[in-house]
Amino acid sequence: MYLSRFLSIHALWVTVSSVMQPYPLVWGHYDVCKTQIYTEEGKVWDYMACQPESTDMTKYLKVKLDPPDITCGDPPETFCAMGNPYMCNNECDASTPELAHPPELMFDFEGRHPSTFWQSATWKEYPKPLQVNITLSWSKTIELTDNIVITFESGRPDQMILEKSLDYGRTWQPYQYYATDCLDAFHMDPKSVKDLSQHTVLEIICTEEYSTGYMTNSKIIHFEIKDRFAFFAGPWLRNMASLYGQLDTTKKLRDFFTVTDLRIRLLRPAVGEIFVDELHLARYFYAISDIKVHGRCKCNLHATVCVYDNSKLTCECEHNTTGPDCGKCKKNYQGRPWSPGSYLPIPKGTANTCIPSISSIGKCYCNPLGSVHDRCNGSGFCECKTGTTGPKCDECLPGNSWHYGCQPNVCDNELLHCQNGGTCHNNVRCLCPAAYTGILCEKLRCEEAGSCSSDSGQGAPPRGCPALLLLLLLLPLPPALLGTAGPLGM
């Protein structure tokens, strides 16, 4: 009974957990840049791709409004309650903290009641357009990891564009268009992210999904990041290998989720009707209570830490890299061209570390006897000749010896002996007696000339003669010979 009850509770817990966490911690990998491992050569570093944690990036941004004086309250003014043109007793006054609505209230901690929010001036200058640009800047390249969420305290705007920059605000490109009527506002057919696919995920669309005017339960606008991830990783983002592979190999896809700045262009406030009520212009304004942007510092998979110091984000680079985004090799570590780390193979990826330069006063020299060229090639390495190795091509591979460059071993003192009294010189040749020749002194010189004979000085000692002489020397002398040793034997 207890076992069945335990199994039931366990099944229930698994079900609840799967419901509560529809998205796994997909960005939790790659949190270590290197670890020590033991090999036959001892303890060594094992390097791997790494990246900082995903976090709330609104803690590090700077916000700018254009026009600069668009915030309400200077001078003080009254505005109407959302959706009710006859309740116009609300006041905005920049000089009174309880009635002020400055831009920083878009990023403060939510949960208090009443909620805090930024608010623009009302549309009192109608028919002149009421337009506001809200620019969010990080002075750092960041990678988006979750949906961008904008919560309006007023009605959601009738027309809005979300834009991004990759060059710190010098140029801008649209991320998504929002309108109650896409065809009328932007000459685009309405679409939603669900209409996209793997092949069209980078398409810039106009959506009518978030522009429904005055609806008290509909205040939120999304830019869907995770839904776009799902085209590659599946609806629950479980096939991360597929997404990582695409991010590794498709620069346009990687850049799509990368920004230095975001800009919210509010082009027309929520009207709620076909015509603007010119008798009650105080009901038209923009008000935003919260903006959420989740992401991480872009460190090119060469860092796990991004520090915020002096109002600036900087990667703490590993893998011998440097720069704000770890985008280049450190000095004296330019032995090969810089490359970003790679997510693949999962789970550790590839670090693509920068390696030490082979340099002398900033220039790479190679041993001309062992290298094809006397300078490094374009990748920072010496191109060694056959049989040669080493950073400067000044070492020989096994089976080779240095003699004006590496030469294959001809002789040694173990296996390749010089014959007939020859001596091995630097392992590259045998020094033969005058009567012998050949690589190992194995041939009579007279044989090559065809002049060997019994009465020839060179032909006198027959082959095998050294062995015969050695045998004779080892035989004991007759006693008679031992007795005639002479005076030295006394």
Side-chain angles (χ1 to χ4, degrees):
M1 182 179 70
Y2 292 107
L3 178 60
S4 61
R5 183 178 297 177
F6 171 77
L7 293 175
S8 300
I9 294 173
H10 177 72
L12 178 62
W13 169 251
V14 171
T15 304
V16 171
S17 298
S18 64
V19 171
M20 291 178 65
Q21 295 183 340
Y23 291 108
L25 295 177
V26 298
W27 297 100
H29 301 298
Y30 312 106
D31 54 354
V32 177
C33 291
K34 61 184 180 182
T35 57
Q36 282 193 322
I37 60 173
Y38 290 90
T39 67
E40 293 179 354
E41 300 176 357
K43 190 186 296 185
V44 298
W45 286 110
D46 180 31
Y47 295 94
M48 55 204 76
C50 52
Q51 61 188 3
E53 270 186 67
S54 176
T55 187
D56 177 7
M57 298 305 295
T58 61
K59 296 181 289 187
Y60 311 110
L61 60 77
K62 293 179 181 178
V63 60
K64 185 180 77 171
L65 271 59
D66 185 30
D69 58 352
I70 193 62
T71 300
C72 70
D74 187 16
E77 62 176 315
T78 57
F79 59 94
C80 304
M82 185 182 72
N84 191 336
Y86 305 106
M87 292 182 61
C88 299
N89 55 355
N90 298 295
E91 186 177 0
C92 179
D93 185 351
S95 62
T96 305
E98 294 80 7
L99 301 176
H101 298 283
E104 53 265 28
L105 295 183
M106 291 186 281
F107 312 104
D108 64 338
F109 176 72
E110 288 298 311
R112 290 173 290 165
H113 185 78
S115 60
T116 57
F117 53 92
W118 163 82
Q119 184 173 311
S120 74
T122 58
W123 203 358
K124 53 184 174 291
E125 295 185 12
Y126 177 86
K128 180 182 177 182
L130 179 61
Q131 297 183 346
V132 184
N133 287 345
I134 303 172
T135 302
L136 315 179
S137 301
W138 285 271
S139 299
K140 172 79 181 74
T141 310
I142 66 170
E143 297 169 329
L144 302 174
T145 58
D146 206 339
N147 296 350
I148 298 170
V149 183
I150 306 170
T151 304
F152 284 83
E153 189 66 18
S154 64
R156 295 181 291 192
D158 282 356
Q159 296 175 17
M160 185 189 106
I161 307 174
L162 179 64
E163 297 179 325
K164 62 172 281 190
S165 175
L166 268 171
D167 54 11
Y168 306 97
R170 286 187 287 273
T171 61
W172 295 91
Q173 57 197 59
Y175 237 167
Q176 193 150 292
Y177 294 87
Y178 301 82
T180 53
D181 188 334
C182 286
L183 198 59
D184 178 64
F186 302 116
H187 309 290
M188 299 172 67
D189 291 325
K191 286 187 178 181
S192 71
V193 174
K194 298 180 182 65
D195 298 319
L196 302 178
S197 66
Q198 281 192 13
H199 304 293
T200 60
V201 68
L202 303 183
E203 181 182 340
I204 308 303
I205 65 171
C206 178
T207 179
E208 298 176 357
E209 191 173 350
Y210 302 109
S211 302
T212 53
Y214 283 111
M215 288 182 64
T216 56
N217 61 340
S218 302
K219 296 183 176 183
I220 295 175
I221 282 181
H222 285 262
F223 177 71
E224 303 90 342
I225 297 290
K226 282 188 171 178
D227 285 347
R228 287 171 166 85
F229 287 163
F231 288 123
F232 304 99
W236 302 108
L237 301 186
R238 286 174 179 157
N239 185 12
M240 294 307 294
S242 175
L243 175 62
Y244 288 143
Q246 291 295 326
L247 292 172
D248 258 3
T249 58
T250 311
K251 185 177 184 300
K252 287 185 177 180
L253 182 66
R254 191 166 63 246
D255 287 348
F256 185 82
F257 300 112
T258 304
V259 303
T260 59
D261 306 76
L262 290 170
R263 184 163 68 183
I264 303 164
R265 295 184 58 197
L266 305 171
L267 303 180
R268 181 181 171 90
V271 173
E273 296 127 1
I274 299 176
F275 301 105
V276 174
D277 183 359
E278 297 185 41
L279 298 177
H280 299 94
L281 293 176
R283 64 184 289 197
Y284 305 121
F285 54 88
Y286 304 108
I288 296 177
S289 61
D290 191 48
I291 297 177
K292 284 186 169 57
V293 181
H294 275 264
R296 66 164 52 87
C297 292
K298 179 179 180 179
C299 301
N300 285 296
L301 295 178
H302 288 310
T304 58
V305 177
C306 189
V307 296
Y308 187 64
D309 189 30
N310 293 325
S311 301
K312 187 176 182 181
L313 286 167
T314 307
C315 300
E316 287 195 345
C317 301
E318 302 270 1
H319 303 157
N320 302 319
T321 61
T322 187
D325 301 342
C326 307
K328 59 182 180 179
C329 291
K330 291 167 63 175
K331 185 179 179 182
N332 299 326
Y333 285 89
Q334 297 167 344
R336 63 183 176 196
W338 176 89
S339 177
S342 170
Y343 285 114
L344 303 176
I346 287 177
K348 296 198 304 181
T350 306
N352 292 329
T353 58
C354 292
I355 63 174
S357 305
I358 309 162
S359 60
S360 175
I361 319 177
K363 296 182 180 178
C364 177
Y365 292 100
C366 308
N367 192 313
L369 296 176
S371 177
V372 177
H373 308 287
D374 62 352
R375 297 289 176 92
C376 296
N377 58 23
S379 62
F381 291 95
C382 296
E383 187 177 350
C384 298
K385 294 178 181 177
T386 303
T388 311
T389 186
K392 296 186 178 182
C393 300
D394 54 0
E395 303 172 23
C396 292
L397 291 168
N400 295 267
S401 298
W402 188 269
H403 184 71
Y404 298 102
C406 288
Q407 308 293 337
N409 287 350
V410 169
C411 56
D412 55 36
N413 294 320
E414 297 178 1
L415 299 176
L416 299 173
H417 293 277
C418 296
Q419 302 176 21
N420 298 311
T423 57
C424 186
H425 179 68
N426 292 335
N427 297 106
V428 295
R429 65 189 181 99
C430 290
L431 298 178
C432 301
Y436 292 93
T437 186
I439 294 176
L440 296 175
C441 306
E442 76 278 11
K443 295 180 182 179
L444 286 166
R445 196 176 295 276
C446 64
E447 284 184 350
E448 289 190 349
S451 58
C452 290
S453 62
S454 60
D455 58 352
S456 167
Q458 294 183 4
R463 291 199 182 195
C465 177
L468 180 60
L469 289 174
L470 180 61
L471 180 62
L472 292 173
L473 288 172
L474 294 175
L475 290 174
L477 292 174
L481 291 175
L482 292 172
T484 58
L488 293 177
M490 296 174 61

